[in-house]
Amino acid sequence: KNEVEQSPQNLTAQEGEFITINCSYSVGISALHWLQQHPGGGIVSLFMLSSGKKKHGRLIATINIQEKHSSLHITASHPRDSAVYICAVSERSNFGNEKLTFGTGTRLTIIP
Amino acid sequence: EAQVTQNPRYLITVTGKKLTVTCSQNMNHEYMSWYRQDPGLGLRQIYYSMNVEVTDKGDVPEGYKVSRKEKRNFPLILESPSPNQTSLYFCASSLGPGGLTYGYTFGSGTRLTVV
């Protein structure tokens, strides 16, 4: 069973600061997902990556497969970035099922 | 607009009264799945479906049933709800699995309270 750990659990920062959220997992995966959950509860997929780095606007996600570690960075953080960020890993079984295992999330609060 | 639609958004019910949470996607995705989210535990998979008439248990299937009679719909059925099923539920869909990993689209969530 894959164990997914995120750090920190809670993060408060000033507007404009550079933010890093970390995710580590215990077993090899087919892909890693970063999700964003706003206070209203809805979940949005930010990134899916299996190697290297992806960038979308002010968000950057990196993954190191050998070290079983991923980071999500937010540059020039803004109060609207306040949300819970969830790391999830995909594993594919021999029967073709793909299973997502989730971290418990990082609650990010950006203060104006 | 490509989306996963869950209904209802909020539901308060009594112990033992059967209920169904609906989930529908308009993206022709093969893979659909249900999750529950509880404080401190994160999201956990209840059931998944790889295609029409193909469903299987996830990590926490007890007390739940699903069906996949059509590709677009994947309802979650609680035959006899109990208070420990009070939770936030999410349906999600994906194009895969098909040998590759694809991104997921999540529904808006259903907050269920069983009293």
Side-chain angles (χ1 to χ4, degrees):
Chain A
K1 186 181 186 303
N2 220 330
E3 303 290 335
V4 180
E5 292 192 3
Q6 288 185 236
S7 63
Q9 285 189 318
N10 294 283
L11 178 56
T12 300
Q14 292 290 135
E15 183 173 355
E17 285 190 39
F18 182 82
I19 303 299
T20 296
I21 299 170
N22 296 300
C23 175
S24 61
Y25 53 93
S26 57
V27 178
I29 61 173
S30 55
L32 184 142
H33 307 257
W34 281 103
L35 311 171
Q36 181 190 56
Q37 185 173 25
H38 274 283
I43 296 175
V44 174
S45 180
L46 297 175
F47 294 103
M48 182 187 72
L49 61 165
S50 53
S51 65
K53 176 178 173 178
K54 286 191 176 180
K55 184 175 189 290
H56 185 247
R58 295 180 294 104
L59 272 60
I60 303 165
T62 65
I63 188 168
N64 184 318
I65 296 294
Q66 286 72 32
E67 295 188 3
K68 297 185 175 64
H69 180 270
S70 175
S71 293
L72 176 68
H73 304 286
I74 305 175
T75 61
S77 59
H78 190 276
R80 65 174 174 267
D81 297 325
S82 298
V84 175
Y85 292 84
I86 301 170
C87 170
V89 297
S90 296
E91 298 169 76
R92 187 170 300 287
S93 74
N94 292 335
F95 305 104
N97 173 40
E98 183 172 275
K99 179 177 163 54
L100 279 181
T101 303
F102 299 83
T104 53
T106 295
R107 184 174 299 276
L108 174 65
T109 304
I110 304 297
I111 300 170
Chain B
E1 181 190 352
Q3 60 185 358
V4 175
T5 303
Q6 274 180 248
N7 280 297
R9 290 292 309 275
Y10 301 91
L11 179 60
I12 301 174
T13 190
V14 297
T15 299
K17 185 176 180 183
K18 181 179 178 180
L19 67 92
T20 299
V21 184
T22 63
C23 174
S24 180
Q25 49 93 4
N26 62 359
M27 296 165 281
N28 203 36
H29 284 175
E30 287 189 356
Y31 187 90
M32 297 185 75
S33 187
W34 276 103
Y35 305 91
R36 61 178 287 173
Q37 186 179 36
D38 301 291
L41 296 176
L43 285 132
R44 295 175 292 168
Q45 189 180 52
I46 303 170
Y47 269 94
Y48 66 92
S49 169
M50 292 202 289
N51 214 324
V52 176
E53 301 292 3
V54 181
T55 64
D56 207 348
K57 298 176 181 178
D59 294 322
V60 288
E62 295 78 20
Y64 305 95
K65 284 174 57 176
V66 293
S67 69
R68 188 94 181 272
K69 293 187 171 61
E70 308 164 280
K71 202 170 190 177
R72 63 184 293 124
N73 295 322
F74 190 45
L76 180 69
I77 302 156
L78 285 72
E79 295 268 3
S80 183
S82 63
N84 64 12
Q85 292 178 296
T86 292
S87 187
L88 179 57
Y89 292 86
F90 288 97
C91 178
S93 72
S94 173
L95 188 59
L100 293 174
T101 295
Y102 299 92
Y104 286 75
T105 302
F106 286 81
S108 301
T110 295
R111 188 167 294 280
L112 172 66
T113 303
V114 183
V115 298

